[in-house]
Amino acid sequence: MSARYQDIARQLERRLDAGEFPPGSRLPSVRRLASEHGVNSLTALAAYRWLEQRQRVLARSRAGFYAALPPADPLAHPAQALPSPATLVEVDSRMSQLLALSGSDIAVQLHMAEAHHSLYPSQELARRLQQTLAQRPELIGAYLPAAQEARLRRLLQSLAADWRLDLPEEEILFCNGITEGISLALRHLTRPGDTVAVETPVYFGLLQTLASLGLKALEIPCTPDAGLSLEALEFALQYGPPVRCLVTVTNFQNPSGALMPDDNKKRLLALARRHGLSIIEDDVFGELYFGNQRPTPLKAWDRDGDVVYCASFTKSLAPSFRLGWLSGGRHHEALARLRASSSLVSPALLLGALADLLASGDYARMSQKLRQQLAQQMERVADAVLAAFPRGTRLRRPQGGLLLWVECPEGLDSGRLLEAALAQSISFAPGMLFSAQPRFQHCLRLNFGQPWNAAQADAIAALGRLATEQLRRT
Ligand SMILES: Cc1ncc(COP(=O)(O)O)c(C=O)c1O
């Protein structure tokens, strides 16, 4: 027979399993738990300590107990298995599950957020890497020498200046893709249990990062037309729980494709200032603009160093090189220290090759070619969707990036649509992945970074047919 405190702990564990307390949320106080079960505080505390040992709850000094992430169950996600739409919605594994889809042999893959490998200048980069290596083989055996690091920082500084973003050279820090930059910024700006404002729909990788840090997401509406709603954010800051910081994708948001107008960028900064809100700006898609001018990051108007700006070459040049960088404003030094304990440095060979490429001036040509291809493919995919999907389907053609957000008529279940699509060897990202709440079920995100061909056209026509059939049957 188990002790009373274990009974109480097990009951609480069942409530945790049922999702009543999401990871990072505050649990009932010891006194409240004790009174709920008619026991004294010591018994309630023993229940919490038992759950703490099992890593189901986290104790924070003087702040009480918080829900931890559910324990990893190695059997729940076998490495090679194709994820089912049901497992895709686990917040703490969405990104990993989608990556598993990429490794599969699905014929037409429309679920990812990077372009097809053939669109990147792989041959030319391979040649350049060989050159860099032949000229400087020492880059294999040592970290990047300080002088070369400073050279790359100056090159990035001048690249950013072209987008009207003036950054001090010493406020540029390399990191492993934006993913590491955002993690570092969140680790610095928050503590487990804090609330972070994010856009909704939101990039599910961010939800996974928040979950892994024990943070709660407060979702603020973001529409393809207007981007993040500043009115909703202001309302949340006034009447909602205390918000520690905001993570926003200002240029060609994932998944909506929204571009935040410059005026809104300035208003957002003023709003954040008034409420003491730090901002993490994720500019991962900024380089993939279709117009004449690259959009200016929010950071360009940040006079007080409140914005941690994160950029990366993962979408615009070479996804697997993981060449990210950030500019941390007044948080910069702290972020540089955290980076040293996170992944220390980036591979010297890749940094060296990037510096050579930027110095050569060829990057502009390469990225222009990619942008032109993406702009053409976007039109093809958007046309095909409008031709094949059920009446009432809406989309807005994005002005950059590589993602198309498709809103089907209410009633469509994009999870079921994915199941049917996978059976025909087609993948896409279903809408419900883009919120921790049950939202966007009727939406889907399509990648238009794949070269347009007959297989693509057939796949989108098939998706349209499947969606129409599903709606007819409901
Ligand atoms: C909005 C957003 N931020 C960050 C990332 C990841 O960026 P990186 O590959 O530079 O880590 C992605 C990738 O899809 C993304 O869509």
Side-chain angles (χ1 to χ4, degrees), residues 95 112-114 176-182 203-204 206 249 252-255 282-285 311-315 319 322-324 402-403 445:
M95 194 62 204
M112 321 77 72
E114 66 264 335
N176 261 292
I178 289 223
T179 306
E180 187 182 37
I182 290 179
Y203 163 54
F204 42 76
L206 178 61
V249 183
F252 319 125
Q253 196 255 2
N254 176 2
D282 174 346
D283 195 17
V284 75
F285 296 109
S312 144
F313 290 90
T314 47
K315 307 293 176 192
R322 314 293 307 137
L323 286 164
L402 32 76
L403 302 169
R445 188 194 74 182

Coordinates of all heavy atoms in Angstrom, one line a residue, residues 95 112-114 176-182 203-204 206 249 252-255 282-285 311-315 319 322-324 402-403 445, ligand 1:
M95 N 9.5 19.9 -33.9 CA 10.6 20.2 -34.8 C 11.3 18.8 -35.2 O 11.5 18.5 -36.3 CB 11.6 21.1 -34.1 CG 12.6 21.7 -35.0 SD 11.7 22.7 -36.2 CE 12.9 22.6 -37.5
M112 N 8.9 21.4 -45.3 CA 10.1 22.1 -44.7 C 10.0 23.6 -44.9 O 9.2 24.1 -45.6 CB 11.4 21.6 -45.4 CG 11.4 20.1 -45.7 SD 10.5 19.8 -47.2 CE 11.6 20.6 -48.4
A113 N 11.0 24.2 -44.2 CA 11.1 25.7 -44.3 C 12.4 26.1 -44.9 O 13.0 27.1 -44.6 CB 10.9 26.3 -43.0
E114 N 13.0 25.3 -45.8 CA 14.2 25.7 -46.5 C 14.0 25.4 -48.0 O 13.1 24.5 -48.3 CB 15.5 25.2 -46.0 CG 15.8 23.8 -46.1 CD 15.4 23.0 -44.8 OE1 15.4 23.7 -43.7 OE2 15.1 21.8 -44.9
N176 N 25.3 29.1 -33.9 CA 24.9 28.0 -34.7 C 23.5 28.2 -35.2 O 22.5 27.7 -34.6 CB 25.0 26.7 -33.9 CG 26.3 26.0 -34.2 OD1 26.4 25.5 -35.3 ND2 27.2 26.0 -33.3
G177 N 23.3 28.9 -36.2 CA 22.0 29.2 -36.7 C 21.2 30.1 -35.8 O 21.7 30.4 -34.7
I178 N 20.1 30.5 -36.2 CA 19.2 31.4 -35.4 C 18.8 30.6 -34.2 O 18.6 31.1 -33.1 CB 18.0 31.9 -36.2 CG1 18.5 32.9 -37.2 CG2 16.9 32.4 -35.3 CD1 17.7 34.1 -37.4
T179 N 18.6 29.3 -34.3 CA 18.1 28.5 -33.2 C 19.0 28.7 -32.0 O 18.5 28.9 -30.9 CB 18.1 27.0 -33.6 OG1 17.4 26.9 -34.8 CG2 17.5 26.1 -32.6
E180 N 20.3 28.7 -32.2 CA 21.1 28.9 -31.0 C 21.0 30.3 -30.5 O 21.0 30.5 -29.3 CB 22.6 28.5 -31.3 CG 23.4 28.6 -30.0 CD 24.9 28.4 -30.2 OE1 25.5 28.8 -31.2 OE2 25.5 27.8 -29.2
G181 N 21.0 31.3 -31.4 CA 20.9 32.7 -31.0 C 19.6 32.9 -30.1 O 19.7 33.5 -29.1
I182 N 18.5 32.3 -30.6 CA 17.3 32.6 -29.8 C 17.3 31.8 -28.5 O 16.9 32.4 -27.5 CB 16.1 32.1 -30.7 CG1 15.9 33.1 -31.8 CG2 14.8 32.0 -29.8 CD1 14.8 32.8 -32.8
Y203 N 6.1 29.7 -35.5 CA 7.1 28.6 -35.9 C 7.2 27.6 -34.8 O 7.5 28.0 -33.7 CB 8.4 29.3 -36.2 CG 9.6 28.4 -36.2 CD1 9.7 27.3 -37.1 CD2 10.7 28.7 -35.5 CE1 10.8 26.6 -37.1 CE2 11.9 28.0 -35.5 CZ 11.9 26.9 -36.4 OH 13.0 26.1 -36.4
F204 N 6.8 26.3 -35.1 CA 6.8 25.3 -34.0 C 8.1 25.1 -33.4 O 8.2 24.6 -32.2 CB 6.1 24.0 -34.5 CG 6.6 23.6 -35.9 CD1 7.8 23.1 -36.1 CD2 5.8 23.9 -37.0 CE1 8.3 22.7 -37.3 CE2 6.3 23.5 -38.3 CZ 7.5 23.0 -38.4
L206 N 10.1 27.3 -32.3 CA 10.1 28.2 -31.2 C 9.3 27.6 -30.0 O 9.8 27.7 -28.9 CB 9.6 29.6 -31.6 CG 9.6 30.6 -30.5 CD1 11.0 30.8 -29.9 CD2 9.0 31.9 -30.9
V249 N 9.2 37.4 -35.6 CA 9.8 37.2 -37.0 C 9.2 38.4 -37.8 O 8.1 38.3 -38.3 CB 9.4 35.8 -37.6 CG1 10.2 35.7 -38.9 CG2 9.8 34.7 -36.6
F252 N 8.7 38.3 -43.3 CA 8.2 37.1 -43.9 C 8.1 36.0 -42.8 O 8.8 34.9 -42.9 CB 9.2 36.6 -45.1 CG 9.6 37.8 -45.9 CD1 10.9 38.1 -46.1 CD2 8.6 38.7 -46.4 CE1 11.3 39.2 -46.9 CE2 9.0 39.8 -47.2 CZ 10.4 40.0 -47.4
Q253 N 7.2 36.2 -41.9 CA 7.0 35.4 -40.8 C 6.6 34.0 -41.2 O 6.0 33.7 -42.2 CB 5.8 36.0 -39.9 CG 5.7 35.5 -38.5 CD 4.6 34.5 -38.3 OE1 3.9 34.2 -39.3 NE2 4.4 34.1 -37.1
N254 N 7.1 33.0 -40.3 CA 6.8 31.6 -40.5 C 5.7 31.3 -39.5 O 5.8 31.4 -38.3 CB 8.0 30.8 -40.2 CG 7.8 29.3 -40.2 OD1 6.7 28.8 -40.6 ND2 8.8 28.5 -39.9
P255 N 4.5 30.8 -40.0 CA 4.1 30.4 -41.3 C 3.4 31.4 -42.2 O 3.2 31.2 -43.4 CB 3.2 29.2 -41.1 CG 2.4 29.7 -39.8 CD 3.4 30.5 -39.0
D282 N 13.8 37.7 -34.8 CA 14.3 36.6 -35.7 C 14.1 37.0 -37.1 O 13.0 37.2 -37.6 CB 13.4 35.4 -35.3 CG 13.6 34.2 -36.2 OD1 14.3 34.3 -37.2 OD2 13.2 33.1 -35.8
D283 N 15.3 37.3 -37.8 CA 15.2 37.8 -39.1 C 15.7 36.7 -40.1 O 16.5 37.0 -41.1 CB 16.1 39.1 -39.2 CG 15.8 39.8 -40.5 OD1 14.8 39.6 -41.2 OD2 16.6 40.7 -40.9
V284 N 15.3 35.5 -39.9 CA 15.9 34.4 -40.6 C 15.5 34.4 -42.1 O 16.3 33.9 -43.0 CB 15.5 33.0 -40.0 CG1 14.0 32.7 -40.3 CG2 16.3 31.9 -40.4
F285 N 14.4 35.1 -42.5 CA 13.9 35.1 -43.9 C 14.2 36.4 -44.6 O 13.8 36.6 -45.7 CB 12.4 34.8 -44.0 CG 12.1 33.3 -43.5 CD1 11.4 33.1 -42.4 CD2 12.5 32.3 -44.3 CE1 11.1 31.8 -41.9 CE2 12.2 31.0 -43.9 CZ 11.5 30.8 -42.7
A311 N 20.2 36.7 -36.9 CA 20.1 36.5 -38.4 C 20.9 35.2 -38.7 O 21.6 34.7 -37.8 CB 20.8 37.7 -39.1
S312 N 20.8 34.8 -39.9 CA 21.5 33.6 -40.3 C 21.5 33.4 -41.8 O 20.7 34.0 -42.5 CB 20.7 32.4 -39.6 OG 20.6 31.3 -40.3
F313 N 22.5 32.6 -42.2 CA 22.6 32.3 -43.7 C 21.9 30.9 -44.0 O 22.1 30.4 -45.0 CB 24.0 32.3 -44.1 CG 24.6 33.7 -44.1 CD1 25.3 34.2 -43.0 CD2 24.6 34.5 -45.2 CE1 25.8 35.4 -42.9 CE2 25.1 35.8 -45.2 CZ 25.7 36.2 -44.1
T314 N 21.2 30.4 -43.0 CA 20.7 29.0 -43.2 C 19.6 29.0 -44.3 O 19.4 27.9 -44.9 CB 20.1 28.5 -41.9 OG1 19.2 29.5 -41.3 CG2 21.2 28.1 -40.9
K315 N 18.8 30.0 -44.5 CA 17.8 30.0 -45.5 C 18.3 30.6 -46.9 O 17.9 30.2 -47.9 CB 16.6 30.8 -45.1 CG 16.0 30.4 -43.8 CD 15.4 29.0 -43.7 CE 15.0 28.7 -42.3 NZ 14.7 27.2 -42.2
P319 N 21.8 25.8 -45.9 CA 21.2 25.4 -44.6 C 22.1 24.6 -43.7 O 22.0 24.8 -42.5 CB 20.0 24.5 -45.1 CG 19.7 25.0 -46.5 CD 21.0 25.5 -47.1
R322 N 24.9 26.2 -40.9 CA 24.4 26.7 -39.6 C 25.1 28.0 -39.3 O 25.5 28.2 -38.1 CB 24.7 25.6 -38.5 CG 24.3 24.2 -38.8 CD 22.8 24.1 -39.0 NE 22.1 24.6 -37.8 CZ 21.0 25.3 -37.9 NH1 20.4 25.6 -39.1 NH2 20.3 25.7 -36.9
L323 N 25.3 28.9 -40.3 CA 26.0 30.1 -40.0 C 25.0 31.2 -39.5 O 24.4 31.9 -40.3 CB 26.7 30.6 -41.3 CG 27.9 29.8 -41.7 CD1 28.3 30.0 -43.1 CD2 29.1 30.1 -40.8
G324 N 24.9 31.3 -38.2 CA 24.0 32.3 -37.6 C 24.9 33.4 -37.0 O 26.0 33.2 -36.7
L402 N 9.8 31.6 -48.2 CA 9.6 30.4 -49.0 C 8.4 29.6 -48.5 O 8.3 28.4 -48.7 CB 10.8 29.6 -49.1 CG 11.8 29.5 -47.9 CD1 11.3 28.6 -46.9 CD2 13.2 29.0 -48.4
L403 N 7.5 30.3 -47.8 CA 6.3 29.6 -47.2 C 5.0 30.2 -47.6 O 4.9 31.5 -47.6 CB 6.5 29.6 -45.7 CG 7.8 29.0 -45.1 CD1 7.9 29.3 -43.6 CD2 7.8 27.5 -45.4
R445 N 0.6 24.8 -44.2 CA 1.7 25.6 -44.7 C 2.4 24.8 -45.8 O 2.8 23.6 -45.6 CB 2.7 25.9 -43.5 CG 3.8 26.8 -43.9 CD 5.0 26.8 -42.9 NE 5.7 25.6 -43.0 CZ 6.8 25.3 -42.3 NH1 7.1 26.1 -41.3 NH2 7.5 24.2 -42.4
Ligands
LIG1 C1 11.1 31.5 -38.0 C2 12.3 30.6 -37.9 N1 13.2 30.9 -37.1 C3 14.4 30.1 -37.0 C4 14.5 29.0 -37.8 C5 15.7 28.2 -37.7 O1 16.8 28.9 -38.2 P1 18.3 28.4 -38.2 O2 18.3 27.3 -39.2 O3 19.1 29.5 -38.6 O4 18.6 27.9 -36.9 C6 13.5 28.7 -38.7 C7 13.7 27.5 -39.6 O5 12.8 27.2 -40.2 C8 12.4 29.5 -38.8 O6 11.4 29.3 -39.6

